[in-house]
Each structure stands twice: as structure tokens, then as C-alpha cells.
Amino acid sequence: MLNPQRSLSELPKMSAASQVERAVLAEEFNWLLKEEVHAVLKQLQDVLKEASRRFTMPTPGLESQLKQENFILGSSTMDQVKGVLTLQGEALSQADINLKVAKSSQVQHFQFREDKQWKLQQIQDARNHVTQALQLLNSHDENYDFKTGAEVNKLMDAVMLQLTRARNRLTTPASMTLPELATSGLMKMFNPPMPGDVMVNFYINLSKLCLTVYQLHVLPPNTTKNFKPSASSVLHNPGAMFELNNNRFEVSHVHKVECVVPWLNDTLVFFTISLQLCQQLKDKVRVCVCASLLLIAVVI
């Protein structure tokens, strides 16, 4: 319905002007689909390739940004647990841990068996999500013809989903129950074997590689203490209880030590940059679409 405030003589001028504006918007949007989108996709590929290199195992004879590195575990507030971890890609290839027993101050020494490595599932999952994001981008090379803004948004949403999942795997360690920790394969990695009153757990938290050591004591069968099994958690506190093989245990001491892994920090930065690039491209598409709809509304 025409606006009654406008005279009939104004309509041809407005129509001509709107046609010019629509043509300009159409040209800008076409440039966005043909040029800008592919430029951003190239940026994303470059950034994610750098992220992917951080996860790649070193190739013998070739230089790689990822090298086998030793990290010293420690804490500024306690010295009950000290250790050195050797990280190579997604695997801990060696762990050397000293634990000072609370009651006797005796130091117990544990290390990985020579034939064992411990895969860090968080790093493996994050790497897989980066690989899937790259595959999505590679399926739309420079010759791909984007037809609509919705098609661009669909691709960006899919890439952002993989990147968000990758980031979440590094920032959100998995929760575990105490029986799950006690029966995990990690407890079979050490020489000498871990005693029955000690449990350990390795996990990634942001750019840090963390080790938690739990010291336990067995609850007497006739104890009057109210037994309540603890729920699943990343970190269990002293006093947490659990039952295993008809025995009841209580956590008496918890020791957490950690070290910063620089290339994990690099990877998190790459994720942030990539997510920002995706969102910026979506915003540009939205602005172009909104401008076109607004122009149509004004003409009507």
C-alpha cells in the first residue's frame, strides 16, 4: 500500500532511486559471496592449520612445532607431590612422580612402565574436532559458488560447532567417580604399582596439564560414620567416600599439581581467533540481508 503522504509525482523518482540502491546492494552482496567469503575461509584455514600442527605428532627427520617436552609439576603452597611429565602430542610418554606420605613423611616414587603411554583423550578429541572443521572448509574451495547468505551461515555454524567442541574439550575436564578412577587403566601404568590407598588422575584444564593425587583410608566395617558415596566430579575433596569390591574408602588427602603447556595456550588462542572470524562473517551477511529488506520495506 502506497504512503498517502507522498505525491504521485514523487513515485517515479523514488522508484528509480530505489532501483539504483537495490542494484548497489545486490552488487555488494554478490562481492561478499564471491570474494569476501572465500578470503575469510582462507584465513580460517590458515589459522586452523596452525592449530592442527600443534596436535600433530613429530615426523622423524622433519621439523615440527610440536616436540617431545618435559614439564615439571609443582605447587607454590605444598611439596607433598612433585614430578616430571613427558608430553608428546596427545600422549604422556613418561611420568615420574614423588609422593610424600602424610603420616610418615616417607617419599614414595612411581613412574610409567617403559612399555606404556597414556593417551590424553581431551587432546585427541580436540584434535579430531579441528580436523573436522578443516574438512568442512576444504569442501568449499575457492571455486565453490555460494548462492545465498543462508548457505554461508550454515557453513559458519557447522565450523563454529566443531571449534566450540574442540575448545570445550580443553576447558572442561571430564567428571569421574572415585570407583571409575580406582579401576581406570591409568592405575596400571606405574612401576612399582600404585598402592591400594593412592589414586591419581591426569587431565587438561585450559592450557594446564594437571595431576591430582588422592590418598585414601579404609573405613572399618563397623564404622558409625554416615556413609554417602560421592558423585562424579573433576576434583574430589577430602572426606569423599566410595565403595569398591565390598570395601568402603574415604579420601583423606588431595594433592593437585600442574604445569603450563605453551602450545595448548596457542591452540586456545587460535580457536578464539577462528570463532571471531566466523562470527564477523555472519554479521556481514546479516547486515547485507537486513539492508536489502529495509530498502524493500521503505519502497513498499
Side-chain angles (χ1 to χ4, degrees):
M1 182 175 181
L2 296 178
N3 189 333
Q5 300 294 327
R6 298 170 179 168
S7 66
L8 293 176
S9 61
E10 291 179 309
L11 292 179
K13 296 179 183 178
M14 293 180 62
S15 179
S18 65
Q19 288 179 3
V20 171
E21 290 181 28
R22 273 189 285 182
V24 170
L25 285 174
E27 185 177 347
E28 290 179 352
F29 193 51
N30 185 61
W31 178 85
L32 178 70
L33 293 177
K34 302 292 184 183
E35 304 294 336
E36 179 74 3
V37 169
H38 285 292
V40 173
L41 295 189
K42 178 63 167 60
Q43 283 183 281
L44 281 168
Q45 285 177 315
D46 290 343
V47 174
L48 291 182
K49 283 177 183 177
E50 284 298 312
S52 181
R53 287 176 62 188
R54 301 306 197 271
F55 292 113
T56 304
M57 294 293 288
T59 302
L62 298 178
E63 289 188 2
S64 172
Q65 284 190 269
L66 178 62
K67 298 178 181 179
Q68 182 172 307
E69 294 181 279
N70 292 328
F71 296 98
I72 298 175
L73 293 166
S75 169
S76 59
T77 59
M78 48 85 84
D79 62 353
Q80 281 87 353
V81 177
K82 294 181 179 180
V84 178
L85 302 181
T86 302
L87 181 64
Q88 187 173 12
E90 65 196 29
L92 281 173
S93 57
Q94 186 52 261
D96 195 296
I97 301 170
N98 290 319
L99 169 64
K100 184 184 293 185
V101 180
K103 292 182 179 180
S104 64
S105 295
Q106 176 188 359
V107 176
Q108 296 179 332
H109 178 250
F110 309 96
Q111 62 183 12
F112 277 179
R113 291 164 45 185
E114 292 183 0
D115 61 333
K116 294 288 186 179
Q117 287 191 343
W118 182 252
K119 295 285 186 181
L120 293 167
Q121 191 65 43
Q122 288 174 265
I123 295 180
Q124 189 176 59
D125 291 346
R127 182 200 64 191
N128 290 339
H129 287 305
V130 172
T131 299
Q132 291 181 49
L134 278 170
Q135 289 174 347
L136 287 167
L137 294 171
N138 292 335
S139 66
H140 298 74
D141 61 19
E142 65 273 8
N143 297 318
Y144 187 88
D145 187 16
F146 286 94
K147 302 294 186 184
T148 64
E151 188 179 8
V152 176
N153 284 337
K154 182 179 179 180
L155 174 60
M156 291 299 95
D157 286 341
V159 172
M160 291 176 76
L161 177 62
Q162 295 302 325
L163 293 178
T164 300
R165 287 175 174 174
R167 184 176 63 183
N168 288 347
R169 286 302 287 129
L170 298 181
T171 60
T172 310
S175 295
M176 297 182 70
T177 65
L178 289 168
E180 287 172 340
L181 284 175
T183 56
S184 74
L186 180 58
M187 298 301 295
K188 302 175 183 177
M189 292 283 295
F190 292 92
N191 182 31
M194 283 280 176
D197 60 351
V198 176
M199 298 192 307
V200 298
N201 189 28
F202 293 109
Y203 59 89
I204 301 296
N205 185 15
L206 295 169
S207 61
K208 295 179 180 179
L209 174 57
C210 305
L211 165 65
T212 304
V213 179
Y214 298 97
Q215 290 183 259
L216 315 172
H217 71 261
V218 179
L219 292 174
N222 58 349
T223 181
T224 58
K225 183 176 288 189
N226 183 28
F227 179 77
K228 183 180 179 182
S230 63
S232 180
S233 179
V234 174
L235 182 66
H236 297 270
N237 295 318
M241 302 177 186
F242 70 101
E243 185 172 359
L244 184 68
N245 298 328
N246 296 321
N247 290 316
R248 291 181 172 182
F249 299 87
E250 182 178 22
V251 175
S252 58
H253 297 83
V254 180
H255 313 293
K256 180 184 175 184
V257 288
E258 58 190 26
C259 57
V260 174
V261 181
W263 64 265
L264 282 177
N265 185 66
D266 293 344
T267 301
L268 289 168
V269 172
F270 291 141
F271 291 164
T272 299
I273 293 172
S274 299
L275 287 166
Q276 289 175 343
L277 286 171
C278 290
Q279 188 58 54
Q280 288 168 1
L281 182 57
K282 289 185 65 177
D283 290 343
K284 289 179 180 179
V285 170
R286 178 179 55 80
V287 169
C288 285
V289 171
C290 288
S292 299
L293 293 176
L294 181 61
L295 180 60
I296 293 173
V298 169
V299 173
I300 294 176

